[in-house]
Structure formats: structure tokens, C-alpha cells
């Protein structure tokens, strides 16, 4: 058997292990922590359960496909339901909109609450769908670093979408040109945060993102997001994948321009293929010090990070849903704080995820588990202790004003996650959640590919590479490794599966 080593048991690494095992590889996954999941962890605070990281589940067929490839029935391992409404939006002026799953109903709601023409909303969603279907097969599902990508028939579909892609305008400019209502523009602009970018800098191309929620759907898996990782680890184990926890990889071993194995504190392991699920920066800096790193790629501007407050709230709020957004007054100023000043706006937009709305077992009766997140800059030496104190008060003021209730006195359990902890726990360089940002039109092309042009047998997956990395789908990593060539010819670069 040809051997493969996966570095990291995040969702990308787990998915890679399944695909390689199905192709006949002897697969071992090396994980620095004591368990699997990467950012996709769960934990309990007293009687409250929390998903630590990703909270939105889109494109569930990417997970279903892994079970189908293995000849399993996906529902035997995990189940999910489509959310409706998807998100409940709140604005400082008191306006509210429920983003219903059915486009026509969502358009009617936006018209009723914000005065936005229904036909304009439906046209924007149709445009997002058209762009997604025309470009996804080329720009999301295939490597931009392979010649055969540009020789495929899918490129013709992408070329047909060029006039509407927004390559010469920003995401905000594209949205503001369609709608006069600043609140609805803000709603569309916020999709830039799905890959840690700034809508005032990112290209209009990112307006393909709304289709993921409003066209395909947002879903909630039974048992929370963590159940996805748990179900895939179960499948991997059934396929013979070995997981070695609390055994971080210290070096990728090479001979000339070929991979020969990996080294940990417990010894050296010979392997024919290595797939790194670590962030691209520490992969080169820590694990490949003997080889020249692609500096231009590693020095691309980083994406945003997150500051998360996990609160056990001893009260129920019937007006809230699984996903809730409380917008800032000045969205542009908020992103300037993040990307220009490297600070946190005193009036941040607040994302509130409450899984107990979908699964009451996640909180005691009469209570709710609040996952409260603010977009923040990646770590560059800021005083995170002080920023956390200031932001906590700003978040409480906003929620208390918009909900008309004192919140702090309802908090009976609390834990905080900041960029420093994100980096320490997940090897995400500087705590940037998505590797580099997409704040320029060439960002996707400047991401590291999911294979190495210099080292035979070295591949990559996860949030900092393309395809998959930086794409606003929490589970696209489940499909990015693709089909490595058969064991007898494993030096070829991977193709998308």
C-alpha cells in the first residue's frame, strides 16, 4: 500500500483521509490536539453546549458525497434540516427583516419592512444564482493553478458571466448601484465577511455568495456543526484511517525535491504523500524550514479574525432565531477599523447564533446558548485583553438597546475566544480565519494551490489554499483535496473529485 500522512484533523484533513482511503492509500492522520475537528469543536459550559467555531452549514451535498463514495447512506451517520428563516436581521433604527428560505417570501419581507422593490430583490438573487452556476465549476471547484482548468468547457460558462462578475467594481459599489436603501445594501455587503473580507475593497465577484443561502439553502445538522466532523471521523475509522492525537508533526521530511515522510516527537514516519491541513504559513515556516518558501504568497494580506463570547443566558428570547445579525450604524467605518486601523469598531456588527433554537438540549429549560461573534482584525500585537473588555461592553450595549432588555445580568456561564487563542489552538497564522483576504480582484489567483510545484508528493487543504480556501462555505474543505492519482502514479497533481 502507498502511504499517506495527513497533518491536522480539521474538516479538510478528515475529508482528505476518507478520499485517500477509498483510493487504496494507507492513511494516518497526525493531530496536535487531543481530538479531531480543528475549528469545528464543541464544548460545554455547565449545562450549555456550544459549537466552538463554524456555525453555518451550507452545501450539505459535499458531506453527503463522502458517504456516497464509500457506499454508505448519509442519513445513517448524520441528518440535517433546512433553516427557515435563515437569518433575522436587526438595524439601529429599529428595522428588522427575516431572511426566509423561499426567495419570493424573502423579497416580500424586504419590501414590507424596508420598502425595497420585490422585483429588485428577486433580480439580485437571480443574478447571484446565474453567476454562481456560471463560475463555480471553474473558480470554486477547480484549481486556478492548473492549465487544464482553463482548457475545460466550464470556462466558456464563466466567460459568459464576465459582464456581470463585477471584476472592475467593489462588492459594495455593485450592491449600491442596484439598491437605494442603505440597509439592504448592508445586508448584501455582509456576505463579504464569509471569507474574512471587506465589501468596500473586495471585488463584486463575491456577490455570488448570497446564492449559497438564498438559492441552495442554509441547514442545521442534528447535534450541531460538530456532528459533521464526528460523523466523518466515524466513517474514516471504518475505512481504516488511523488517527494519532496529541502528536504534532514537527517536520516534513524530504530528499531532493520529493517527500519522504514526516517527523514527530515520537519518531519518523515514511510516507509517499503528505497532505497538510495546517495554514500555509506555519506549514512552510515550521515544517519545511529546509526549503525556500513562496514568500509572495505567504505575505498576502490576511483575512479578518473573530472575537467570540460564549454566553449561557438564563432566559429565552422568542423573537430570536438560530442566526441573528445586529448591524452597526456605519458599516464602512467598521471595516476601516478592521483592515485599516487594525482595531475593533466601538459600534461593531454582532452575529448571534443560538443552536438551542434548533436543538433544545443545548441549553437548560427556559435558557439559551448564545454564540456572540464580532469580526475583528487578525493579530498584529494588539492588546487583546483591553480590546475584549471594550468590545464586550459595546456588544452588551447594542444587544440591550435592540432587544430592550438588560443582558449582562442574564449571563450565568461565559467563555471567550480571541485571535490569539484561535492561532494557538488551530495553527491559523495570526488568528486569520481564512488565510489571506479577498480584498483585491486577484486574491483567488494569489492563494497557494492545493499542491506543490516544488516538492513531489506534497499537497494542501483547508482554509488558506485554493480551491476551497477562503471560499465562504464552512464545508467546501470537504471536497478540495480531490482525487490524487492512483498509488502507482501518485506524483501527479490532484484533480478535483
Amino acid at each position: 500500500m502507498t502511504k499517506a500522512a495527513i497533518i491536522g484533523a480539521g474538516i479538510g484533513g478528515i475529508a482528505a483521509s476518507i478520499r485517500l482511503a477509498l483510493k487504496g492509500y494507507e492513511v494516518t492522520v497526525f493531530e496536535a490536539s487531543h481530538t479531531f475537528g480543528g475549528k469545528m469543536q464543541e464544548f460545554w459550559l455547565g449545562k450549555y453546549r456550544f459549537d466552538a467555531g463554524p456555525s453555518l452549514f451550507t452545501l450539505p451535498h459535499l458531506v453527503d458525497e463522502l458517504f456516497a463514495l464509500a457506499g454508505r447512506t448519509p442519513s445513517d451517520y448524520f441528518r440535517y434540516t433546512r433553516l427557515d428563516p435563515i437569518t433575522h436581521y436587526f438595524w439601529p433604527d429599529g428595522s428588522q427583516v427575516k431572511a426566509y428560505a423561499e426567495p419570493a417570501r424573502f423579497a416580500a419581507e424586504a419590501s414590507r419592512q424596508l420598502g425595497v422593490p420585490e422585483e429588485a430583490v428577486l433580480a439580485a438573487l437571480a443574478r447571484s444564482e446565474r453567476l454562481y452556476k456560471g463560475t463555480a465549476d471553474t473558480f470554486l471547484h477547480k484549481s486556478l493553478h492548473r492549465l487544464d482548468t482553463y482548457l475545460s468547457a466550464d470556462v466558456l460558462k464563466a466567460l459568459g458571466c464576465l459582464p456581470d462578475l463585477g471584476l472592475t467594481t467593489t462588492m459594495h459599489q455593485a450592491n449600491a448601484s442596484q439598491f437605494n436603501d442603505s440597509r439592504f445594501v448592508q445586508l448584501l455587503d455582509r456576505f463579504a465577511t464569509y471569507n474574512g473580507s471587506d465589501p468596500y475593497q473586495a471585488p463584486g465577484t463575491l456577490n455570488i455568495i448570497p446564492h449559497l443561502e438564498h438559492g441552495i439553502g442554509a441547514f442545521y445538522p442534528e447535534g450541531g456543526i460538530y456532528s459533521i466532523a464526528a460523523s466523518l471521523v466515524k466513517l474514516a475509522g471504518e475505512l481504516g484511517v488511523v488517527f494519532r492525537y496529541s502528536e504534532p508533526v514537527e517536520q516534513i521530511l524530504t530528499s531532493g525535491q520529493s517527500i519522504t515522510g514526516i517527523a514527530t516527537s515520537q519518531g519518523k514516519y515514511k510516507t509517499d504523500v503528505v497532505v497538510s491541513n495546517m495554514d500555509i504559513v506555519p506549514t512552510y515556516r515550521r515544517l519545511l524550514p529546509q526549503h525556500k518558501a513562496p514568500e509572495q504568497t505567504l505575505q498576502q494580506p490576511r483575512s479578518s479574525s473573530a472575537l467570540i463570547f460564549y454566553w449561557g443566558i438564563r432566559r429565552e428570547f422568542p423573537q430570536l432565531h438560530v442566526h441573528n445579525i445586529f448591524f452597526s450604524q456605519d458599516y464602512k467605518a467598521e471595516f476601516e477599523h478592521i483592515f485599516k486601523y487594525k482595531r475593533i469598531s466601538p459600534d461593531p456588527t454582532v452575529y448571534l447564533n443560538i443552536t438551542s433554537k434548533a436543538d433544545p438540549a443545548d441549553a437548560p429549560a427556559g435558557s439559551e446558548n448564545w454564540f456572540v461573534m464580532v469580526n475583528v482584525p487578525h493579530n498584529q500585537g494588539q492588546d487583546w485583553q483591553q480590546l475584549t473588555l471594550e468590545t464586550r461592553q459595546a456588544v452588551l450595549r447594542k444587544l440591550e438597546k435592540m432587544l430592550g432588555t438588560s443582558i449582562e445580568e442574564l449571563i450565568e456561564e461565559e467563555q471567550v475566544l480571541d485571535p490569539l487563542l484561535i492561532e494557538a489552538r488551530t495553527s491559523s497564522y495570526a488568528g486569520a480565519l481564512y488565510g489571506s483576504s479577498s480584498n483585491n480582484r486577484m486574491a483567488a489567483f494569489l492563494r497557494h494551490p492545493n499542491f506543490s510545484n516544488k516538492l513531489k508528493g506534497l499537497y494542501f487543504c483547508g482554509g488558506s489554499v485554493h480551491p476551497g480556501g477562503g471560499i465562504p462555505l464552512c464545508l467546501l474543505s470537504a471536497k478540495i483535496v480531490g482525487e490524487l492519482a492512483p498509488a502507482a502514479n501518485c506524483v501527479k497533481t490532484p484533480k478535483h473529485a
Side-chain angles (χ1 to χ4, degrees):
M1 267 191 175
T2 301
K3 295 183 178 181
I6 312 290
I7 303 173
I11 189 66
I14 299 168
S17 74
I18 291 170
R19 290 180 178 272
L20 289 172
L22 288 171
K23 294 186 73 66
Y25 287 76
E26 181 182 333
V27 185
T28 303
V29 180
F30 295 85
E31 169 57 46
S33 75
H34 68 283
T35 189
F36 58 85
K39 296 183 181 74
M40 198 178 287
Q41 299 282 337
E42 75 167 359
F43 66 94
W44 289 80
L45 288 178
K47 297 181 180 180
Y48 297 87
R49 193 201 73 87
F50 294 90
D51 283 309
S55 56
L56 178 67
F57 183 26
T58 56
L59 300 187
H61 68 272
L62 296 179
V63 180
D64 288 342
E65 181 184 70
L66 292 169
F67 294 104
L69 287 172
R72 267 66 163 184
T73 301
S75 60
D76 289 343
Y77 290 77
F78 89 113
R79 301 178 183 180
Y80 52 87
T81 56
R82 190 176 188 184
L83 291 175
D84 192 19
I86 301 167
T87 304
H88 193 167
Y89 295 96
F90 298 79
W91 282 270
D93 67 357
S95 303
Q96 298 182 27
V97 165
K98 294 179 183 178
Y100 292 104
E102 171 57 43
R105 191 180 180 196
F106 171 50
E109 167 80 352
S111 177
R112 182 169 54 253
Q113 301 296 338
L114 305 179
V116 179
E118 289 184 46
E119 59 272 18
V121 176
L122 291 173
L125 296 182
R127 185 180 300 108
S128 181
E129 178 180 14
R130 185 169 64 254
L131 293 176
Y132 180 87
K133 290 183 176 179
T135 62
D137 287 339
T138 297
F139 294 109
L140 301 189
H141 297 163
K142 292 181 180 178
S143 174
L144 297 178
H145 303 82
R146 291 175 56 89
L147 179 61
D148 58 3
T149 294
Y150 303 97
L151 299 178
S152 70
D154 293 327
V155 171
L156 297 177
K157 290 193 301 180
L159 290 175
C161 295
L162 279 179
D164 291 329
L165 267 181
L167 294 174
T168 60
T169 187
T170 68
M171 188 179 188
H172 173 75
Q173 289 169 339
N175 292 328
S177 70
Q178 299 177 64
F179 297 94
N180 294 322
D181 188 276
S182 61
R183 294 164 298 181
F184 197 76
V185 171
Q186 191 174 25
L187 185 157
L188 295 176
D189 282 353
R190 72 105 182 173
F191 286 99
T193 65
Y194 279 31
N195 65 357
S197 301
D198 174 0
Y200 298 89
Q201 297 184 62
T205 314
L206 293 192
N207 281 319
I208 68 172
I209 299 173
H211 177 65
L212 302 175
E213 288 190 19
H214 294 281
I216 301 172
F219 303 83
Y220 184 80
E222 292 181 9
I225 292 291
Y226 175 76
S227 68
I228 301 169
S231 65
L232 291 178
V233 164
K234 180 181 179 182
L235 173 61
E238 293 174 0
L239 297 175
V241 175
V242 175
F243 288 83
R244 298 183 68 92
Y245 299 114
S246 301
E247 189 172 352
V249 172
E250 297 178 344
Q251 187 174 355
I252 297 173
L253 304 176
T254 62
S255 176
Q257 299 303 307
S258 297
I259 295 297
T260 60
I262 57 99
T264 75
S265 61
Q266 298 185 34
K268 295 181 179 180
Y269 299 83
K270 186 181 183 304
T271 183
D272 305 279
V273 169
V274 170
V275 181
S276 177
N277 189 204
M278 287 179 68
D279 187 291
I280 202 71
V281 176
T283 296
Y284 278 101
R285 300 286 191 236
R286 295 185 209 164
L287 307 186
L288 287 165
Q290 72 275 34
H291 287 271
K292 184 179 180 180
E295 294 299 336
Q296 182 181 7
T297 298
L298 301 193
Q299 293 175 16
Q300 290 301 305
R302 299 289 98 186
S303 77
S304 60
S305 186
L307 179 60
I308 305 172
F309 301 94
Y310 307 96
W311 290 339
I313 301 292
R314 58 171 180 267
R315 181 187 148 176
E316 292 182 298
F317 288 77
Q319 70 270 42
L320 298 177
H321 294 82
V322 174
H323 301 293
N324 308 272
I325 299 283
F326 298 82
F327 279 120
S328 62
Q329 183 70 47
D330 190 336
Y331 217 32
K332 185 175 183 179
E334 181 178 355
F335 284 99
E336 286 179 342
H337 273 80
I338 295 172
F339 290 99
K340 183 177 180 179
Y341 306 121
K342 316 302 180 185
R343 300 279 299 176
I344 305 175
S345 169
D347 175 30
T349 293
V350 177
Y351 165 69
L352 172 57
N353 173 236
I354 311 173
T355 63
S356 59
K357 295 290 186 180
D359 190 346
D362 285 355
S367 301
E368 295 177 346
N369 62 334
W370 283 19
F371 170 110
V372 184
M373 189 191 82
V374 171
N375 292 303
V376 303
H378 63 275
N379 178 49
Q380 296 178 73
Q382 299 94 325
D383 184 346
W384 287 106
Q385 183 176 10
Q386 182 62 32
L387 286 175
T388 297
L389 290 174
E390 294 171 357
T391 303
R392 184 180 187 275
Q393 292 306 309
V395 168
L396 286 170
R397 286 194 300 270
K398 178 181 290 289
L399 293 178
E400 288 175 352
K401 181 179 180 180
M402 291 190 175
L403 295 176
T405 303
S406 178
I407 301 297
E408 186 164 20
E409 63 188 29
L410 300 177
I411 302 172
E412 63 175 356
E413 300 285 354
E414 181 171 16
Q415 189 164 301
V416 179
L417 183 67
D418 64 21
L420 292 174
L421 289 172
I422 291 172
E423 179 173 25
R425 294 175 182 176
T426 68
S427 293
S428 299
Y429 179 65
L433 293 178
Y434 309 94
S436 58
S437 71
S438 295
N439 287 342
N440 69 73
R441 68 191 68 175
M442 297 301 295
F445 298 90
L446 295 174
R447 280 184 174 270
H448 197 289
N450 65 347
F451 58 90
S452 172
N453 281 317
K454 305 295 184 182
L455 290 169
K456 189 165 56 178
L458 178 59
Y459 301 89
F460 305 86
C461 64
S464 63
V465 298
H466 189 281
I471 304 303
L473 327 174
C474 74
L475 288 168
L476 189 56
S477 293
K479 202 171 181 178
I480 66 172
V481 172
E483 293 187 10
L484 284 167
N489 196 19
C490 67
V491 297
K492 291 184 178 179
T493 52
K495 294 182 178 179
H496 179 67

